[in-house]
mmCIF file of all heavy atoms in Angstrom:
data_model
loop_
_atom_site.group_PDB
_atom_site.id
_atom_site.type_symbol
_atom_site.label_atom_id
_atom_site.label_comp_id
_atom_site.label_asym_id
_atom_site.label_seq_id
_atom_site.Cartn_x
_atom_site.Cartn_y
_atom_site.Cartn_z
ATOM 1 N N PHE A 20 10.694 17.823 -15.716
ATOM 2 C CA PHE A 20 11.252 16.508 -16.016
ATOM 3 C C PHE A 20 10.426 15.846 -17.111
ATOM 4 O O PHE A 20 9.205 15.815 -17.053
ATOM 5 C CB PHE A 20 11.207 15.644 -14.757
ATOM 6 C CG PHE A 20 11.772 14.255 -14.934
ATOM 7 C CD1 PHE A 20 13.125 14.040 -14.792
ATOM 8 C CD2 PHE A 20 10.955 13.173 -15.211
ATOM 9 C CE1 PHE A 20 13.664 12.764 -14.920
ATOM 10 C CE2 PHE A 20 11.475 11.902 -15.347
ATOM 11 C CZ PHE A 20 12.834 11.701 -15.198
ATOM 12 N N ILE A 253 15.397 9.634 -8.452
ATOM 13 C CA ILE A 253 16.679 8.942 -8.652
ATOM 14 C C ILE A 253 17.509 9.544 -9.779
ATOM 15 O O ILE A 253 18.658 9.139 -9.980
ATOM 16 C CB ILE A 253 16.468 7.433 -8.910
ATOM 17 C CG1 ILE A 253 15.677 7.188 -10.189
ATOM 18 C CG2 ILE A 253 15.813 6.782 -7.700
ATOM 19 C CD1 ILE A 253 15.518 5.709 -10.542
ATOM 20 N N LYS A 263 15.026 12.477 2.576
ATOM 21 C CA LYS A 263 13.687 13.028 2.392
ATOM 22 C C LYS A 263 12.633 11.928 2.416
ATOM 23 O O LYS A 263 12.844 10.824 1.927
ATOM 24 C CB LYS A 263 13.582 13.778 1.064
ATOM 25 C CG LYS A 263 14.631 14.863 0.861
ATOM 26 C CD LYS A 263 14.457 15.993 1.845
ATOM 27 C CE LYS A 263 15.473 17.109 1.581
ATOM 28 N NZ LYS A 263 15.359 18.203 2.571
#
Side-chain angles (χ1 to χ4, degrees):
F20 181 86
I253 63 176
K263 306 294 183 182

